[in-house]
Amino acid sequence: MTRSARLRRRLVEHLLDEDVLHAPEWIAAFRAVPRHVFLPRFFAPAGGLWAAVDRDDPGWLETVYSREVLVTQLDDDPGRWELARRTGPVAGTPTSSSSMPSIMAIMLEELRVRNGQRVLEIGTGTGYNAALLSHRCGAGQVSTVDIDPVIVGEARERLAQAGYRPACAVGDGALGFPAGTVFDRVLCTASVSSVPLAWLQQTVPGGLIVTTLNRPIGAGLIRLVAGEDGTAQGHVLARDGRFMPLRAHRLPEADRLPMPSRDDWEQTRLPMSTVLQPRKQFEFFAGLALPGVRAVRDADDSVSLVHPDGSWVRHRKRGGADEVAQGGPRALWEIAESAFVDWCELGKPERDRFGVTVTAERQEFWLDAPDGRTWPLG
């Protein structure tokens, strides 16, 4: 057995231990598909910067088969890797990556693919996920699209090298696949702020769409069932997953916040971690109560909340107590505290109690039933 094959088996064992991989077909795919073919180079964190890594570096193969997300592009610029190789670590914002294998396994299993079904992947990336789909679904059953022609060209070559030939296209993933084919399953490996209606039009009635939501707070996975009339309905999934957004769905940079005075701080019984951490089940509900509010990390490494209307909240720990200061046209922390009380009174619903409805006129979340309490998706 080759070294890479041993590492693939070890990766599968980790995914089984994490309880994110169950189906024999996907176990076989992860054991067979050579991830290292799709990651000949990537960026590694280096003291706030990004260092270039390739197959000549010690530990490259072990890192490829680790459980970590591996950044493959910065600032939409394929030349940044060569620059980092020549000059040393560079600054930049990740714009493409090979996702954590655990998140990939979760999404692939949630897609509930059956033999003979046609699958569309939105967001080709390295091509590794398309290879896993191709191994599971067979020749001619998988199509993949990405907006970046360089990414698509490299992925096509690496897919062929690994023995897979899905249909690869350059285009805006929000518009679906350029050829206009109808699919049984649609999987988006980038996140969206709203569900593109083109996906519904390219999914057979009864077909499934799995994607992640690009929400500043309370993001996560949803699975929709396409209807007969260009609509869809589904649920937020209990198992979480988060991805980089499609380019058109990215959020703007947050403005610099004012510095509160000594008298602006007041104690709160609601920790910021309860609002922001996915493992704290309130996070999803907090996102419904605080639409458009996002978290930013301050220079002192504390976390604040901001909204485009100028409202803001700073949080700090002092003497073991949680304190906040807030400003702008709305008292965001009062909204968060009120939402926490509301959530408790509703029985502390976890994310999988929420459903999603998508039509041409509206996209909304609902609690327990479509005719129950609703919130806008955006």
Side-chain angles (χ1 to χ4, degrees):
M1 183 182 295
T2 65
R3 183 176 165 209
S4 62
R6 288 195 298 271
L7 290 170
R8 286 198 295 277
R9 285 189 170 271
R10 188 182 71 177
L11 175 60
V12 168
E13 290 170 2
H14 288 318
L15 297 177
L16 291 170
D17 289 342
E18 291 181 60
D19 197 32
V20 296
L21 190 61
H22 309 89
E25 297 87 352
W26 291 118
I27 292 173
F30 275 95
R31 281 179 176 163
V33 176
R35 193 185 191 203
H36 62 277
V37 170
F38 301 93
L39 283 160
R41 62 186 192 180
F42 51 86
F43 292 94
L49 302 175
W50 296 97
V53 177
D54 66 13
R55 62 178 68 246
D56 293 329
D57 291 295
W60 163 77
L61 192 62
E62 285 74 13
T63 303
V64 165
Y65 287 105
S66 71
R67 290 173 281 180
E68 303 303 317
V69 58
L70 298 177
V71 173
T72 55
Q73 187 188 76
L74 299 174
D75 303 321
D76 298 323
D77 182 0
R80 299 286 285 167
W81 190 91
E82 287 83 358
L83 176 64
R85 201 57 168 169
R86 291 195 311 269
T87 66
V90 297
T93 300
T95 50
S96 188
S97 67
S98 182
S99 303
M100 294 174 61
S102 59
I103 301 302
M104 298 172 69
I106 288 171
M107 291 192 74
L108 290 169
E109 291 209 336
E110 294 289 3
L111 200 59
R112 297 182 177 178
V113 175
R114 296 197 292 267
N115 293 339
Q117 292 186 325
R118 293 161 296 181
V119 180
L120 170 61
E121 178 196 40
I122 309 292
T124 306
T126 66
Y128 177 53
N129 200 67
L132 292 167
L133 283 165
S134 297
H135 189 278
R136 165 65 181 87
C137 300
Q141 299 300 105
V142 177
S143 300
T144 182
V145 60
D146 199 290
I147 198 169
D148 192 317
V150 174
I151 284 177
V152 173
E154 292 179 346
R156 185 186 287 115
E157 292 177 4
R158 293 164 186 167
L159 281 159
Q161 182 182 346
Y164 303 105
R165 288 177 171 78
C168 300
V170 177
D172 183 352
L175 302 178
F177 197 70
T181 309
V182 178
F183 299 91
D184 301 286
R185 299 288 187 267
V186 174
L187 174 66
C188 183
T189 56
S191 60
V192 293
S193 302
S194 59
V195 178
L197 298 180
W199 296 358
L200 308 186
Q201 297 162 3
Q202 292 190 22
T203 307
V204 300
L208 302 182
I209 300 168
V210 174
T211 187
T212 54
L213 297 176
N214 182 36
R215 301 175 65 227
I217 301 173
L221 285 169
I222 61 171
R223 181 175 56 227
L224 302 171
V225 181
E228 298 276 353
D229 51 357
T231 65
Q233 192 163 281
H235 279 84
V236 179
L237 299 177
R239 299 195 295 178
D240 198 10
R242 311 199 177 194
F243 287 83
M244 294 179 186
L246 291 178
R247 291 190 184 182
H249 291 242
R250 292 175 184 168
L251 299 171
E253 291 293 327
D255 294 332
R256 185 180 298 273
L257 299 181
M259 183 60 65
S261 68
R262 179 181 302 177
D263 296 332
D264 291 333
W265 295 94
E266 56 186 34
Q267 287 195 1
T268 176
R269 298 178 64 184
L270 180 65
M272 183 68 80
S273 61
T274 300
V275 176
L276 296 181
Q277 289 185 9
R279 62 184 177 84
K280 305 289 183 71
Q281 291 295 333
F282 174 62
E283 184 234 16
F284 187 84
F285 194 84
L288 301 179
L290 297 165
V293 174
R294 59 184 300 195
V296 296
R297 190 164 294 280
D298 300 319
D300 60 358
D301 212 33
S302 62
V303 177
S304 300
L305 302 180
V306 297
H307 188 275
D309 68 3
S311 303
W312 56 271
V313 177
R314 283 187 179 271
H315 173 275
R316 71 181 183 186
K317 287 277 191 181
R318 188 179 184 192
D322 292 281
E323 294 184 340
V324 294
Q326 55 189 327
R330 293 185 299 146
L332 295 182
W333 201 250
E334 291 180 14
I335 296 173
E337 291 176 323
S338 177
F340 185 77
V341 173
D342 192 12
W343 179 68
C344 292
E345 291 176 348
L346 288 169
K348 298 184 177 181
E350 298 185 5
R351 63 177 57 241
D352 57 351
R353 279 182 57 186
F354 293 89
V356 180
T357 296
V358 178
T359 72
E361 292 76 32
R362 73 185 195 283
Q363 299 194 18
E364 62 188 17
F365 293 108
W366 38 265
L367 177 62
D368 294 331
D371 57 355
R373 186 171 173 182
T374 62
W375 298 262
L377 186 63

